[in-house]
Amino acid sequence: MDIPIKERQIAKFCRDGLLKENQNQVIQVSCQTGRDIRQLRGNSIVIYFYDESLSNILVRKKEFISEYYDGLKELLIYKANHGEIYSDILITLYPDGSYQFKYWFDEERLYNEEFNQAATFSQRYPHHIAADLLDFYLPDINFKKKYAKIIMTLEIRAGEPVVDLRYRNGRNQIKPVFDFMDNTGQSYQDSVENVLMILKKSILLQHNTTHGIMKEFWEPWNKIIIEVPPSGILNELEDIHYYLDDKPLDKKYSTRGNFDMKKWEYVKYK
């Protein structure tokens, strides 16, 4: 790839995307992606057009979006393949037709985004997994029994995820969700294996998240028991139970802090 030619093409597409009233001013095009664009899927670049002060977002034409998205992705992948990994590009467009590209790797921005995502994910995990259980996993295994609650036991044992699903019926009896006695076909077994695989991946991700980037705020644990009512709406104090070596942990999501959704940050408990 001839980088100067590619940059010129991208700059032209960006300029063509400007509205008429913005053509004669200095424009800043901010382009942000993740840690390594080669490992990202889908629309992996966020692009905003700003005025020179970088304080006001400008409206742009819609028809040119794919051209500069595709060009930037191709450029970043080429640079990454040649040992230059960048997360951010700032393109400055000048009224005389000239332009400037600035590349850098913004570790602080990436960490903050990852932290905020992890904080939200880890707190909402029991709610999301309960909703998925009712919407996808139980229908996948054709589970139609009446129940008071589904009891999900998700555990990390010797570093490996272990999953157990049971239900409490109307007579307060605890029964296994997976019924291999009445369902002997291969398709049923395949459906069960698929559900177990998804649940094991999810509990491993939750464990890695809370013991990784969130470890300063999250109490260590190795088991979650989630009691899911037919509505799928969890009571945070009654239906979600975290444990460490079978010792129940504090009910505040077993965390040392609380995620403030308004401030979009974690606040430690005193």
Side-chain angles (χ1 to χ4, degrees):
M1 176 188 292
D2 189 319
I3 291 178
I5 291 178
K6 177 58 68 174
E7 289 180 341
R8 184 166 67 247
Q9 292 173 344
I10 294 169
K12 182 181 184 305
F13 283 131
C14 290
R15 191 177 298 280
D16 290 343
L18 293 172
L19 298 181
K20 185 176 180 180
E21 58 264 30
N22 302 129
Q23 291 284 346
N24 295 318
Q25 64 185 95
V26 176
I27 301 297
Q28 305 278 17
V29 184
S30 173
C31 317
Q32 298 178 344
T33 187
R35 289 189 176 275
D36 190 337
I37 194 169
R38 296 170 297 182
Q39 300 175 4
L40 302 177
R41 297 179 181 178
N43 189 1
S44 52
I45 303 177
V46 177
I47 302 175
Y48 290 103
F49 281 49
Y50 291 91
D51 60 12
E52 187 176 8
S53 67
L54 281 172
S55 58
N56 298 308
I57 297 177
L58 305 178
V59 177
R60 56 191 171 181
K61 297 178 183 176
K62 300 295 185 182
E63 59 266 30
F64 291 98
I65 289 178
S66 62
E67 281 84 352
Y68 45 73
Y69 268 104
D70 294 343
L72 284 164
K73 187 172 182 178
E74 184 182 356
L75 176 61
L76 286 171
I77 289 175
Y78 178 85
K79 283 183 172 290
N81 287 337
H82 289 78
E84 299 179 55
I85 299 180
Y86 299 107
S87 65
D88 290 67
I89 304 176
L90 184 65
I91 307 170
T92 305
L93 305 175
Y94 298 100
D96 62 2
S98 60
Y99 55 87
Q100 181 182 25
F101 277 65
K102 178 183 177 182
Y103 302 86
W104 71 98
F105 190 88
D106 194 336
E107 173 64 34
E108 182 178 0
R109 174 183 67 79
L110 291 168
Y111 177 83
N112 287 336
E113 290 176 357
E114 290 163 356
F115 182 90
N116 291 336
Q117 183 179 18
T120 304
F121 168 82
S122 55
Q123 274 201 316
R124 296 300 301 170
Y125 172 76
H127 303 272
H128 290 316
I129 204 68
D132 287 344
L133 176 73
L134 299 189
D135 293 340
F136 303 109
Y137 307 148
L138 294 186
D140 279 352
I141 61 171
N142 200 29
F143 180 82
K144 296 181 179 179
K145 297 182 183 297
K146 293 184 178 180
Y147 59 90
K149 282 192 175 181
I150 301 289
I151 303 166
M152 306 178 69
T153 301
L154 309 172
E155 188 173 1
I156 300 295
R157 192 182 302 163
E160 295 297 325
V162 179
V163 174
D164 182 74
L165 294 185
R166 299 179 184 272
Y167 71 97
R168 181 182 292 112
N169 62 21
R171 291 180 289 178
N172 208 31
Q173 296 171 314
I174 304 297
K175 302 282 187 177
V177 166
F178 304 131
D179 183 359
F180 294 103
M181 297 294 292
D182 295 333
N183 299 280
T184 59
Q186 185 63 43
S187 61
Y188 181 80
Q189 184 172 335
D190 290 344
S191 295
V192 169
E193 289 299 322
N194 185 59
V195 169
L196 288 174
M197 179 188 66
I198 295 171
L199 289 172
K200 287 177 180 179
K201 286 183 177 179
S202 76
I203 187 63
L204 194 57
L205 177 59
Q206 171 73 343
H207 192 263
N208 291 342
T209 299
T210 55
H211 289 75
I213 193 170
M214 298 301 302
K215 64 182 179 181
E216 182 182 353
F217 295 92
W218 206 277
E219 296 287 353
W221 60 274
N222 53 20
K223 182 167 67 175
I224 312 175
I225 296 179
I226 306 171
E227 300 181 15
V228 186
S231 67
I233 301 174
L234 302 182
N235 182 304
E236 297 177 357
L237 297 180
E238 296 179 4
D239 298 333
I240 305 170
H241 315 276
Y242 279 83
Y243 296 82
L244 179 62
D245 299 329
D246 291 323
K247 178 183 176 182
L249 299 176
D250 188 272
K251 290 294 185 178
K252 293 180 179 178
Y253 287 100
S254 71
T255 64
R256 300 189 184 102
N258 179 54
F259 191 68
D260 189 325
M261 296 298 291
K262 292 182 179 179
K263 295 182 179 179
W264 204 245
E265 63 183 18
Y266 242 97
V267 180
K268 280 190 176 182
Y269 291 132
K270 295 181 179 179

